Amino acid sequence: MNRRDLGSTRLAAFALGLSAVAAPGCGSEERLSPVDRPSSSNSSGGGGAEPEPEPAVRQVFVRNPIGLPIDNLLADGDFELSIVPEAEAGGQYGWIALRGNGGTAPLLAETGGLCRSGLRCGRLPAGRILFGRGTAAPHELPHKASIWLKPVSWQPRPPAELAEPCESLADVYVLACDSFSVVGVLRPAALPSADGWCELRAELAGSTRALCMYAEIGEQELLLDNATLLAAPELASGPLPAPITPPTPTTERMRLVREQIRARMPLGSPKPLVTAMPRGPEAREGGLLD
Amino acid sequence: MSRSTLGRWIPAVGVATLALAGSPAAAWAGAFDERGVFRVSADAAAFEAFVAPTYFVPDDAEESCTLKTFHEIIDDGTALEGATYARVDAPSACQVRFVVELPPVQASYRATLWMRHGSAGARVLVSYPAESGIPLQPARMAPTGRATSDGWIELATNEFPVDGTLSPTVYLRFADFADADGVDLDAFELVPAGEFVAGEACEGVRDPVCGPERTCISGQCVLGRLSVPPLPEPPLKQAMAAALAGRIEVFYGGRKTRLEDLPVARLSLARMRSAQSAWAYWSDFGRAVRELHDWHTSASAPVGESLAVTTARLNACFVEGDADRSRGTWPSHPAYRDILVSHVGNGSAGLAPGDRLVAVDGLHPLEWARGLVDVQWGYHVATDASSFADFAEALGGPAWSGGAMLLRYAREITVVRCDAGTGTCSDVAETLRIRDLPAVLGGPDVYCDNRPRYHLGDESPSEATHQVFYEIFDGPVANTTPEEAIYGMVWDTLYGGGDPNGYVNGKIRTLSAFWKQNARGVILDHRAGNGGTLDAPEYMTQLVRPPFTLAAVRMPIEIAGFEGPSTPAEGVALFEQSKAFSPYTVGADDHDPELPVALILHRDGSASDYMPLGMKGAPKVRIFGPGPTAGAFSTFVQFAYWGGLRMQLASGDTITFDGQPWIGRGVMPDQVVQQRQSDLMVGVDTLHEAALAWVRQELKQP
């Protein structure tokens, strides 16, 4: 499929309002299109055996740097718009990383094809907590939630001896943003995808209150990408599920994170309007913001 | 309950991944062969392969940034181009800089750079010799969308001019962050692109001499594309516009702002799709965000970031008021209040307190300021459509504080000067061209905090600078007697941050306890309320009223695209649903019901909206001010893109116990008071005097 064909297919899908078609990770894996090879007409046409083509070094592609899908109910599911210098960690971004005591931590990033989608993805060491801001679907529609994880150490596939490689990478919950009451637990797929990413997903009831994502990273440093919380009108709206109570240590950490987030929710300028004027090279070379 | 439809917040197009193979590469710099090997552009004017790059550290860099280099050259078989690449791992206060050589001609270039791991701020700078008088010119880098399977992503500038005949130094400035072990760079390439554009002088933001690709700021045509990301190739252009619109549609606003302002912004968002230049594309985006018309909402880009500081000075601050001494010279506007000089510093173009600013480029100053929505990236507007105090405040003051709108964007101003000695004003208006304002050195810049004077005696903030910022000032009110026991507080921050004993909350609690024991009246001066967090307003209200769950703060937005309660009954239901988890709880059992507390407001938003909302109606509280607060009754969500481009969206609403949504509705003072021109001329602070008179009338019995 050439670039124009692929583009027009997706454009047509969106024109029908099927935004999820453009959403890698909504149940389908994003595939990197291999670089086209020269056509056979490039050969000399001689009768001898053609030399083996040299292997490709890399694939090249174009990805949306803003993040998809566009109707994601997570503010920055694709980890494109929450990667900031450490001094800004803890701002009201789509994702914030925290330590076990509730204190904020930097959210690291990986890039390009090392990520599952977009240009950037999240990277967190073992034991960290990740909080993702979101909202709920209108009309109390049910939801589908998903996030893709991959240990940094997998190159790119998990070690063959792992029977259940996607188990225990992280505990991921969807919860009410205000109360932190858990409304769903994301369960890992049995096996990773061909490129070594593990999907965790859940189906959730409709909600009248905003939903957020909360993850506790397990014992391995992880890449995180392509998280989605999407309205799922195709799911039947059944009775509300029974409340989910995470293990006590998790509940305690959730309480600390909730306190941190609620207490520091900014209403106005979180810091003084002016703290310091740029000096030296910063003053001459432009603004402070990168 | 109002409902939005799913389809409504799904813009029309989107693209996830596009294979580049087989596509024409004309628009790109370096290309890849069929095996994915990077090939330097045949017409590259400069290329840095990071074998032995030339780097430098500015003479005035922080000492800690000069002690070692923060990059290493690596040859491990994973370079994008050639055998080697650079790995940068610098402390947050430092950056690395690599120099490239360009031909000694006037030309225009586009720079590209490949990086992997973490994230970065990257810009290309053109530094001319000091004798040229040309300021340092930054061109920001942001992604093109191109990426590789082994983790490299491409950053690029838009086209930027270089006058090589002046022997400039051209270099890449790179700041890494969000990386575990550094960020890798490779294949820094400059390719001729576009036409050379020389700097040009101009007057006023609408000066046509700058053309559509430049904006006149501070008397210079600023090439807008230097400060925004590249124009994406179609269809990525459509997809990115759709993705940005999607964030706004899902997360933006509350009832008023979604119903009244979002439809306006949608038109600008739609224009992005047909934009033909990077500047047009991102300008439409910025305009759309500004049209959302919200105190918390902004799009920021480093437009004009390194402009030479203009030599002109207008060291003065302006407030809305009542021009009771000059209406004969210039009538008041039917829709806007008069604009008066509040206070000045050295270099005020001869303006003095009480003088009147009657026009900017022929329009009422507030009409002029509101009209900058299409061009001013720092545009800041109250959510309440009838509040203009933010505009008045930003007319003057220093640029580094977000002010200086007149100096930066106006061509001429028209003023009416007054004479404090005679108590009269000129019967002739005088027009001053901004470019003719004298360069005056010396003395501090005055900050604009809407306070002509302070009234705490020796405990007052400095009247030379008016920098209240993050401090809290308190003490007995000047010109009162010990028997009256009237105390005051001057402060602008409500950032409690969740710490009951932190500076702000601790001070509020300590002073409240002291006042309950010792004061017969209190004047709270909060005339430049920058907001903060909800806890500080809650503590402040505990001085004056019994406990009550006044509102539920439903934010960030609880339901995607939710347009808020359409009836009070719906609102009450929402309040009841949310009050247990997100209450705004005011008051305390041990409040002082007999202590008169005057609250003076002027330009106040967010937590500084909540505070007067929580105090209003308390038995011994009276709020004084010229008009409504900003009505910014929400929090916000932040989005950080590349190259200094940011978006902040207000998200959610506040529903009071009676079912009313509050976003976009400022709190009205109990007593509307305007600064009078006749008072300002003689150093009288009209609002303070009104508050003091009321407190004296209501003094608590000893």
Side-chain angles (χ1 to χ4, degrees), chain A residues 30 57 74 88 92 111 120 210 262 266-267 284-285 287 289, chain B residues 17 35 119 140 171 173 305 532 558 606 635-636 638 646:
Chain A
E30 178 184 16
V57 174
L74 295 173
E88 297 177 54
Q92 194 100 325
T111 49
R120 289 191 284 203
R262 300 304 295 181
L267 305 169
R284 289 184 292 101
E285 294 180 334
L289 279 181
Chain B
T17 299
R35 293 177 52 236
S119 194
R140 294 286 188 142
Y171 60 96
R173 175 194 186 270
E305 59 184 323
E558 297 277 356
S606 199
T635 186
F636 52 82
Q638 295 169 280
R646 304 291 176 97

PDB file of all heavy atoms in Angstrom, chain A residues 30 57 74 88 92 111 120 210 262 266-267 284-285 287 289, chain B residues 17 35 119 140 171 173 305 532 558 606 635-636 638 646:
ATOM      1  N   GLU A  30      -0.571  -1.385  15.869  1.00  0.00           N
ATOM      2  CA  GLU A  30      -0.020  -0.506  14.840  1.00  0.00           C
ATOM      3  C   GLU A  30       1.139  -1.216  14.175  1.00  0.00           C
ATOM      4  O   GLU A  30       2.035  -1.727  14.829  1.00  0.00           O
ATOM      5  CB  GLU A  30       0.468   0.780  15.476  1.00  0.00           C
ATOM      6  CG  GLU A  30       1.093   1.720  14.497  1.00  0.00           C
ATOM      7  CD  GLU A  30       1.657   2.934  15.196  1.00  0.00           C
ATOM      8  OE1 GLU A  30       1.819   2.882  16.417  1.00  0.00           O
ATOM      9  OE2 GLU A  30       1.941   3.917  14.503  1.00  0.00           O
ATOM     10  N   VAL A  57      18.219  -1.607   7.000  1.00  0.00           N
ATOM     11  CA  VAL A  57      18.799  -1.085   8.239  1.00  0.00           C
ATOM     12  C   VAL A  57      17.699  -0.635   9.193  1.00  0.00           C
ATOM     13  O   VAL A  57      17.750  -0.852  10.392  1.00  0.00           O
ATOM     14  CB  VAL A  57      19.739   0.094   7.909  1.00  0.00           C
ATOM     15  CG1 VAL A  57      20.256   0.752   9.178  1.00  0.00           C
ATOM     16  CG2 VAL A  57      20.883  -0.380   7.049  1.00  0.00           C
ATOM     17  N   LEU A  74      -8.684   9.939  27.675  1.00  0.00           N
ATOM     18  CA  LEU A  74      -7.498  10.289  28.446  1.00  0.00           C
ATOM     19  C   LEU A  74      -6.884  11.533  27.807  1.00  0.00           C
ATOM     20  O   LEU A  74      -6.810  11.633  26.583  1.00  0.00           O
ATOM     21  CB  LEU A  74      -6.491   9.141  28.446  1.00  0.00           C
ATOM     22  CG  LEU A  74      -6.945   7.862  29.148  1.00  0.00           C
ATOM     23  CD1 LEU A  74      -5.931   6.742  28.936  1.00  0.00           C
ATOM     24  CD2 LEU A  74      -7.155   8.108  30.643  1.00  0.00           C
ATOM     25  N   GLU A  88       9.229  20.978  35.686  1.00  0.00           N
ATOM     26  CA  GLU A  88       7.792  21.109  35.469  1.00  0.00           C
ATOM     27  C   GLU A  88       7.019  19.855  35.851  1.00  0.00           C
ATOM     28  O   GLU A  88       5.796  19.802  35.683  1.00  0.00           O
ATOM     29  CB  GLU A  88       7.506  21.451  34.008  1.00  0.00           C
ATOM     30  CG  GLU A  88       8.087  22.773  33.574  1.00  0.00           C
ATOM     31  CD  GLU A  88       7.842  23.029  32.095  1.00  0.00           C
ATOM     32  OE1 GLU A  88       6.685  22.974  31.665  1.00  0.00           O
ATOM     33  OE2 GLU A  88       8.826  23.261  31.371  1.00  0.00           O
ATOM     34  N   GLN A  92      -0.135  20.041  35.729  1.00  0.00           N
ATOM     35  CA  GLN A  92      -1.443  19.442  35.461  1.00  0.00           C
ATOM     36  C   GLN A  92      -1.447  18.858  34.039  1.00  0.00           C
ATOM     37  O   GLN A  92      -2.271  19.225  33.215  1.00  0.00           O
ATOM     38  CB  GLN A  92      -2.526  20.508  35.647  1.00  0.00           C
ATOM     39  CG  GLN A  92      -3.938  19.971  35.722  1.00  0.00           C
ATOM     40  CD  GLN A  92      -4.464  19.870  37.141  1.00  0.00           C
ATOM     41  OE1 GLN A  92      -3.724  19.581  38.077  1.00  0.00           O
ATOM     42  NE2 GLN A  92      -5.735  20.089  37.302  1.00  0.00           N
ATOM     43  N   THR A 111      11.503   7.260  22.131  1.00  0.00           N
ATOM     44  CA  THR A 111      11.177   7.960  20.888  1.00  0.00           C
ATOM     45  C   THR A 111      10.971   7.027  19.700  1.00  0.00           C
ATOM     46  O   THR A 111      11.467   5.898  19.677  1.00  0.00           O
ATOM     47  CB  THR A 111      12.325   8.928  20.518  1.00  0.00           C
ATOM     48  OG1 THR A 111      13.564   8.216  20.588  1.00  0.00           O
ATOM     49  CG2 THR A 111      12.359  10.130  21.431  1.00  0.00           C
ATOM     50  N   ARG A 120       6.628   9.931  20.853  1.00  0.00           N
ATOM     51  CA  ARG A 120       7.177   9.757  22.193  1.00  0.00           C
ATOM     52  C   ARG A 120       6.316   8.762  22.961  1.00  0.00           C
ATOM     53  O   ARG A 120       5.114   8.624  22.715  1.00  0.00           O
ATOM     54  CB  ARG A 120       7.190  11.089  22.963  1.00  0.00           C
ATOM     55  CG  ARG A 120       8.202  12.071  22.445  1.00  0.00           C
ATOM     56  CD  ARG A 120       8.388  13.269  23.370  1.00  0.00           C
ATOM     57  NE  ARG A 120       7.320  14.237  23.311  1.00  0.00           N
ATOM     58  CZ  ARG A 120       7.435  15.514  23.657  1.00  0.00           C
ATOM     59  NH1 ARG A 120       8.589  15.981  24.089  1.00  0.00           N
ATOM     60  NH2 ARG A 120       6.411  16.355  23.586  1.00  0.00           N
ATOM     61  N   ALA A 210     -15.742  11.678  36.182  1.00  0.00           N
ATOM     62  CA  ALA A 210     -14.547  11.527  35.350  1.00  0.00           C
ATOM     63  C   ALA A 210     -13.754  10.293  35.757  1.00  0.00           C
ATOM     64  O   ALA A 210     -13.666   9.953  36.935  1.00  0.00           O
ATOM     65  CB  ALA A 210     -13.681  12.766  35.470  1.00  0.00           C
ATOM     66  N   ARG A 262      -5.326  16.278  44.588  1.00  0.00           N
ATOM     67  CA  ARG A 262      -6.417  17.182  44.937  1.00  0.00           C
ATOM     68  C   ARG A 262      -5.892  18.448  45.612  1.00  0.00           C
ATOM     69  O   ARG A 262      -6.348  19.555  45.332  1.00  0.00           O
ATOM     70  CB  ARG A 262      -7.424  16.503  45.871  1.00  0.00           C
ATOM     71  CG  ARG A 262      -8.091  15.270  45.308  1.00  0.00           C
ATOM     72  CD  ARG A 262      -8.807  15.514  43.998  1.00  0.00           C
ATOM     73  NE  ARG A 262      -9.944  16.410  44.104  1.00  0.00           N
ATOM     74  CZ  ARG A 262     -10.732  16.738  43.073  1.00  0.00           C
ATOM     75  NH1 ARG A 262     -10.487  16.227  41.874  1.00  0.00           N
ATOM     76  NH2 ARG A 262     -11.738  17.571  43.232  1.00  0.00           N
ATOM     77  N   PRO A 266      -4.293  23.108  40.566  1.00  0.00           N
ATOM     78  CA  PRO A 266      -4.088  24.555  40.441  1.00  0.00           C
ATOM     79  C   PRO A 266      -5.350  25.300  40.051  1.00  0.00           C
ATOM     80  O   PRO A 266      -6.093  24.896  39.170  1.00  0.00           O
ATOM     81  CB  PRO A 266      -3.028  24.654  39.337  1.00  0.00           C
ATOM     82  CG  PRO A 266      -3.177  23.409  38.540  1.00  0.00           C
ATOM     83  CD  PRO A 266      -3.697  22.350  39.478  1.00  0.00           C
ATOM     84  N   LEU A 267      -5.557  26.399  40.725  1.00  0.00           N
ATOM     85  CA  LEU A 267      -6.639  27.331  40.400  1.00  0.00           C
ATOM     86  C   LEU A 267      -5.977  28.689  40.259  1.00  0.00           C
ATOM     87  O   LEU A 267      -5.880  29.449  41.200  1.00  0.00           O
ATOM     88  CB  LEU A 267      -7.682  27.360  41.511  1.00  0.00           C
ATOM     89  CG  LEU A 267      -8.288  26.013  41.898  1.00  0.00           C
ATOM     90  CD1 LEU A 267      -9.096  26.148  43.173  1.00  0.00           C
ATOM     91  CD2 LEU A 267      -9.163  25.490  40.777  1.00  0.00           C
ATOM     92  N   ARG A 284      19.679  35.984  26.068  1.00  0.00           N
ATOM     93  CA  ARG A 284      20.010  36.331  24.687  1.00  0.00           C
ATOM     94  C   ARG A 284      19.460  35.324  23.683  1.00  0.00           C
ATOM     95  O   ARG A 284      19.112  35.672  22.563  1.00  0.00           O
ATOM     96  CB  ARG A 284      21.522  36.419  24.526  1.00  0.00           C
ATOM     97  CG  ARG A 284      22.128  37.646  25.216  1.00  0.00           C
ATOM     98  CD  ARG A 284      23.608  37.755  24.955  1.00  0.00           C
ATOM     99  NE  ARG A 284      24.346  36.672  25.601  1.00  0.00           N
ATOM    100  CZ  ARG A 284      24.800  35.590  24.964  1.00  0.00           C
ATOM    101  NH1 ARG A 284      24.603  35.458  23.675  1.00  0.00           N
ATOM    102  NH2 ARG A 284      25.459  34.663  25.609  1.00  0.00           N
ATOM    103  N   GLU A 285      19.428  34.066  24.067  1.00  0.00           N
ATOM    104  CA  GLU A 285      19.099  33.019  23.098  1.00  0.00           C
ATOM    105  C   GLU A 285      17.606  32.736  23.012  1.00  0.00           C
ATOM    106  O   GLU A 285      17.193  31.865  22.274  1.00  0.00           O
ATOM    107  CB  GLU A 285      19.856  31.740  23.451  1.00  0.00           C
ATOM    108  CG  GLU A 285      21.363  31.891  23.284  1.00  0.00           C
ATOM    109  CD  GLU A 285      22.110  30.624  23.639  1.00  0.00           C
ATOM    110  OE1 GLU A 285      21.598  29.836  24.446  1.00  0.00           O
ATOM    111  OE2 GLU A 285      23.204  30.430  23.103  1.00  0.00           O
ATOM    112  N   GLY A 287      13.596  32.306  24.928  1.00  0.00           N
ATOM    113  CA  GLY A 287      12.848  31.996  26.134  1.00  0.00           C
ATOM    114  C   GLY A 287      13.385  30.792  26.860  1.00  0.00           C
ATOM    115  O   GLY A 287      14.233  30.054  26.369  1.00  0.00           O
ATOM    116  N   LEU A 289      11.439  28.254  27.888  1.00  0.00           N
ATOM    117  CA  LEU A 289      10.697  27.038  27.630  1.00  0.00           C
ATOM    118  C   LEU A 289      11.279  26.263  26.475  1.00  0.00           C
ATOM    119  O   LEU A 289      11.494  26.796  25.398  1.00  0.00           O
ATOM    120  CB  LEU A 289       9.237  27.365  27.312  1.00  0.00           C
ATOM    121  CG  LEU A 289       8.328  27.627  28.495  1.00  0.00           C
ATOM    122  CD1 LEU A 289       6.933  27.903  28.007  1.00  0.00           C
ATOM    123  CD2 LEU A 289       8.323  26.452  29.454  1.00  0.00           C
TER     124      LEU A 289
ATOM    125  N   THR B  17      -0.346   6.348  10.977  1.00  0.00           N
ATOM    126  CA  THR B  17       1.005   6.092  10.510  1.00  0.00           C
ATOM    127  C   THR B  17       1.017   6.068   9.001  1.00  0.00           C
ATOM    128  O   THR B  17       0.167   5.444   8.372  1.00  0.00           O
ATOM    129  CB  THR B  17       1.495   4.730  11.024  1.00  0.00           C
ATOM    130  OG1 THR B  17       1.499   4.770  12.439  1.00  0.00           O
ATOM    131  CG2 THR B  17       2.892   4.422  10.517  1.00  0.00           C
ATOM    132  N   ARG B  35      17.082   0.834   1.762  1.00  0.00           N
ATOM    133  CA  ARG B  35      17.413   0.017   2.934  1.00  0.00           C
ATOM    134  C   ARG B  35      17.231   0.806   4.227  1.00  0.00           C
ATOM    135  O   ARG B  35      17.501   0.303   5.313  1.00  0.00           O
ATOM    136  CB  ARG B  35      18.854  -0.479   2.832  1.00  0.00           C
ATOM    137  CG  ARG B  35      19.084  -1.474   1.683  1.00  0.00           C
ATOM    138  CD  ARG B  35      20.560  -1.871   1.593  1.00  0.00           C
ATOM    139  NE  ARG B  35      21.053  -2.311   2.874  1.00  0.00           N
ATOM    140  CZ  ARG B  35      22.118  -1.788   3.521  1.00  0.00           C
ATOM    141  NH1 ARG B  35      22.781  -0.794   2.976  1.00  0.00           N
ATOM    142  NH2 ARG B  35      22.491  -2.264   4.691  1.00  0.00           N
ATOM    143  N   SER B 119      13.737  13.501  25.503  1.00  0.00           N
ATOM    144  CA  SER B 119      13.152  14.615  24.775  1.00  0.00           C
ATOM    145  C   SER B 119      14.140  15.784  24.837  1.00  0.00           C
ATOM    146  O   SER B 119      15.182  15.683  25.481  1.00  0.00           O
ATOM    147  CB  SER B 119      11.800  14.998  25.377  1.00  0.00           C
ATOM    148  OG  SER B 119      11.103  15.846  24.491  1.00  0.00           O
ATOM    149  N   ARG B 140      13.185  27.890  16.290  1.00  0.00           N
ATOM    150  CA  ARG B 140      12.851  26.719  17.098  1.00  0.00           C
ATOM    151  C   ARG B 140      12.724  25.467  16.246  1.00  0.00           C
ATOM    152  O   ARG B 140      12.301  25.522  15.085  1.00  0.00           O
ATOM    153  CB  ARG B 140      11.530  26.962  17.832  1.00  0.00           C
ATOM    154  CG  ARG B 140      11.600  28.066  18.869  1.00  0.00           C
ATOM    155  CD  ARG B 140      12.357  27.589  20.091  1.00  0.00           C
ATOM    156  NE  ARG B 140      12.281  28.574  21.173  1.00  0.00           N
ATOM    157  CZ  ARG B 140      12.151  28.234  22.458  1.00  0.00           C
ATOM    158  NH1 ARG B 140      12.103  26.969  22.812  1.00  0.00           N
ATOM    159  NH2 ARG B 140      12.095  29.172  23.384  1.00  0.00           N
ATOM    160  N   TYR B 171      24.647  28.295  15.148  1.00  0.00           N
ATOM    161  CA  TYR B 171      24.856  27.106  15.987  1.00  0.00           C
ATOM    162  C   TYR B 171      23.537  26.484  16.434  1.00  0.00           C
ATOM    163  O   TYR B 171      22.490  27.138  16.478  1.00  0.00           O
ATOM    164  CB  TYR B 171      25.728  27.445  17.195  1.00  0.00           C
ATOM    165  CG  TYR B 171      25.199  28.491  18.143  1.00  0.00           C
ATOM    166  CD1 TYR B 171      24.505  28.120  19.300  1.00  0.00           C
ATOM    167  CD2 TYR B 171      25.414  29.857  17.923  1.00  0.00           C
ATOM    168  CE1 TYR B 171      24.047  29.063  20.196  1.00  0.00           C
ATOM    169  CE2 TYR B 171      24.951  30.814  18.807  1.00  0.00           C
ATOM    170  CZ  TYR B 171      24.267  30.421  19.947  1.00  0.00           C
ATOM    171  OH  TYR B 171      23.803  31.363  20.830  1.00  0.00           O
ATOM    172  N   ARG B 173      21.567  24.877  19.467  1.00  0.00           N
ATOM    173  CA  ARG B 173      21.520  24.881  20.946  1.00  0.00           C
ATOM    174  C   ARG B 173      20.581  23.760  21.357  1.00  0.00           C
ATOM    175  O   ARG B 173      19.430  23.716  20.926  1.00  0.00           O
ATOM    176  CB  ARG B 173      20.996  26.216  21.456  1.00  0.00           C
ATOM    177  CG  ARG B 173      20.790  26.312  22.967  1.00  0.00           C
ATOM    178  CD  ARG B 173      19.948  27.545  23.242  1.00  0.00           C
ATOM    179  NE  ARG B 173      19.778  27.853  24.635  1.00  0.00           N
ATOM    180  CZ  ARG B 173      18.772  27.370  25.384  1.00  0.00           C
ATOM    181  NH1 ARG B 173      17.910  26.518  24.878  1.00  0.00           N
ATOM    182  NH2 ARG B 173      18.649  27.757  26.650  1.00  0.00           N
ATOM    183  N   GLU B 305      10.897  36.061  20.829  1.00  0.00           N
ATOM    184  CA  GLU B 305      11.530  35.785  22.112  1.00  0.00           C
ATOM    185  C   GLU B 305      12.846  36.508  22.319  1.00  0.00           C
ATOM    186  O   GLU B 305      13.250  36.725  23.444  1.00  0.00           O
ATOM    187  CB  GLU B 305      11.745  34.283  22.284  1.00  0.00           C
ATOM    188  CG  GLU B 305      12.613  33.654  21.217  1.00  0.00           C
ATOM    189  CD  GLU B 305      12.719  32.144  21.387  1.00  0.00           C
ATOM    190  OE1 GLU B 305      12.770  31.682  22.510  1.00  0.00           O
ATOM    191  OE2 GLU B 305      12.724  31.437  20.370  1.00  0.00           O
ATOM    192  N   GLY B 532      -4.493  30.286  42.995  1.00  0.00           N
ATOM    193  CA  GLY B 532      -3.606  29.379  43.725  1.00  0.00           C
ATOM    194  C   GLY B 532      -4.223  28.011  43.827  1.00  0.00           C
ATOM    195  O   GLY B 532      -4.406  27.336  42.818  1.00  0.00           O
ATOM    196  N   GLU B 558     -15.857  16.502  34.007  1.00  0.00           N
ATOM    197  CA  GLU B 558     -16.271  15.171  34.453  1.00  0.00           C
ATOM    198  C   GLU B 558     -16.739  14.290  33.302  1.00  0.00           C
ATOM    199  O   GLU B 558     -16.535  13.078  33.321  1.00  0.00           O
ATOM    200  CB  GLU B 558     -17.403  15.298  35.483  1.00  0.00           C
ATOM    201  CG  GLU B 558     -17.014  16.018  36.758  1.00  0.00           C
ATOM    202  CD  GLU B 558     -16.318  15.105  37.756  1.00  0.00           C
ATOM    203  OE1 GLU B 558     -16.214  13.893  37.482  1.00  0.00           O
ATOM    204  OE2 GLU B 558     -15.870  15.615  38.795  1.00  0.00           O
ATOM    205  N   SER B 606      -9.705  32.821  39.386  1.00  0.00           N
ATOM    206  CA  SER B 606      -9.567  31.436  39.831  1.00  0.00           C
ATOM    207  C   SER B 606      -9.679  31.339  41.353  1.00  0.00           C
ATOM    208  O   SER B 606     -10.704  31.729  41.900  1.00  0.00           O
ATOM    209  CB  SER B 606      -8.245  30.853  39.321  1.00  0.00           C
ATOM    210  OG  SER B 606      -8.304  29.454  39.361  1.00  0.00           O
ATOM    211  N   THR B 635     -10.292  24.456  37.102  1.00  0.00           N
ATOM    212  CA  THR B 635      -8.862  24.234  37.003  1.00  0.00           C
ATOM    213  C   THR B 635      -8.519  24.154  35.520  1.00  0.00           C
ATOM    214  O   THR B 635      -9.301  24.605  34.668  1.00  0.00           O
ATOM    215  CB  THR B 635      -8.439  22.971  37.766  1.00  0.00           C
ATOM    216  OG1 THR B 635      -7.014  22.864  37.764  1.00  0.00           O
ATOM    217  CG2 THR B 635      -9.016  21.725  37.119  1.00  0.00           C
ATOM    218  N   PHE B 636      -7.375  23.556  35.190  1.00  0.00           N
ATOM    219  CA  PHE B 636      -6.986  23.483  33.790  1.00  0.00           C
ATOM    220  C   PHE B 636      -6.172  22.223  33.547  1.00  0.00           C
ATOM    221  O   PHE B 636      -5.705  21.559  34.474  1.00  0.00           O
ATOM    222  CB  PHE B 636      -6.166  24.719  33.389  1.00  0.00           C
ATOM    223  CG  PHE B 636      -4.990  25.010  34.287  1.00  0.00           C
ATOM    224  CD1 PHE B 636      -3.786  24.344  34.132  1.00  0.00           C
ATOM    225  CD2 PHE B 636      -5.087  25.943  35.301  1.00  0.00           C
ATOM    226  CE1 PHE B 636      -2.708  24.600  34.963  1.00  0.00           C
ATOM    227  CE2 PHE B 636      -4.010  26.212  36.137  1.00  0.00           C
ATOM    228  CZ  PHE B 636      -2.815  25.533  35.965  1.00  0.00           C
ATOM    229  N   GLN B 638      -2.869  20.885  31.138  1.00  0.00           N
ATOM    230  CA  GLN B 638      -1.753  21.417  30.361  1.00  0.00           C
ATOM    231  C   GLN B 638      -1.293  20.410  29.309  1.00  0.00           C
ATOM    232  O   GLN B 638      -1.323  19.194  29.538  1.00  0.00           O
ATOM    233  CB  GLN B 638      -0.581  21.742  31.293  1.00  0.00           C
ATOM    234  CG  GLN B 638      -0.870  22.852  32.283  1.00  0.00           C
ATOM    235  CD  GLN B 638       0.191  22.953  33.348  1.00  0.00           C
ATOM    236  OE1 GLN B 638       0.192  22.199  34.303  1.00  0.00           O
ATOM    237  NE2 GLN B 638       1.111  23.898  33.185  1.00  0.00           N
ATOM    238  N   ARG B 646       2.989  25.446  23.828  1.00  0.00           N
ATOM    239  CA  ARG B 646       2.208  24.865  24.934  1.00  0.00           C
ATOM    240  C   ARG B 646       0.746  25.255  24.777  1.00  0.00           C
ATOM    241  O   ARG B 646       0.430  26.274  24.178  1.00  0.00           O
ATOM    242  CB  ARG B 646       2.701  25.391  26.288  1.00  0.00           C
ATOM    243  CG  ARG B 646       4.181  25.178  26.564  1.00  0.00           C
ATOM    244  CD  ARG B 646       4.496  23.719  26.754  1.00  0.00           C
ATOM    245  NE  ARG B 646       5.919  23.473  26.935  1.00  0.00           N
ATOM    246  CZ  ARG B 646       6.516  23.323  28.104  1.00  0.00           C
ATOM    247  NH1 ARG B 646       5.812  23.423  29.207  1.00  0.00           N
ATOM    248  NH2 ARG B 646       7.798  23.068  28.184  1.00  0.00           N
TER     249      ARG B 646
END
